Amino acid sequence: MPKNKLGRLLEKLEHLKASVRAKVEHPFHVIKNLFRHRKTRYRGLAENTAQLFTLFGFANLVPAGRRFTITESRRAS
């Protein structure tokens, strides 16, 4: 990237895109690897949608659970 004003602006833009991408890709990583949901079986649109909503909800709770586990272990010791 050039070291002028346009280069700095492009670098900030790329940093912003990377941070958004990291926040969006984390739940997919949790669902595919932690919950082992790699194949989608057709069970009807309502059931598939309900299952994915549930899995994404749990994926959002995984980092929160880890954070609470760390704070609880600090108090216990």
Side-chain angles (χ1 to χ4, degrees):
M1 299 252 175
K3 297 290 182 186
N4 57 13
K5 190 174 183 178
L6 180 62
R8 287 191 300 270
L9 185 62
L10 286 174
E11 193 169 333
K12 283 184 180 181
L13 178 66
E14 292 299 322
H15 185 269
L16 181 64
K17 288 188 331 189
S19 67
V20 169
R21 191 177 306 119
K23 289 176 187 172
V24 170
E25 287 180 357
H26 183 262
F28 287 101
H29 172 76
V30 170
I31 288 172
K32 288 175 77 176
N33 295 322
L34 188 64
F35 298 149
R36 308 260 190 245
H37 187 76
R38 295 189 183 246
K39 288 185 181 178
T40 303
R41 293 174 186 87
Y42 183 75
R43 290 184 240 170
L45 294 176
E47 287 184 30
N48 285 344
T49 305
Q51 182 183 22
L52 286 175
F53 281 149
T54 304
L55 288 174
F56 275 104
F58 284 143
N60 288 330
L61 292 176
V62 167
R66 289 183 184 156
R67 199 171 326 137
F68 290 131
T69 304
I70 292 171
T71 57
E72 288 175 5
S73 64
R74 285 184 186 166
R75 281 190 239 156
S77 58

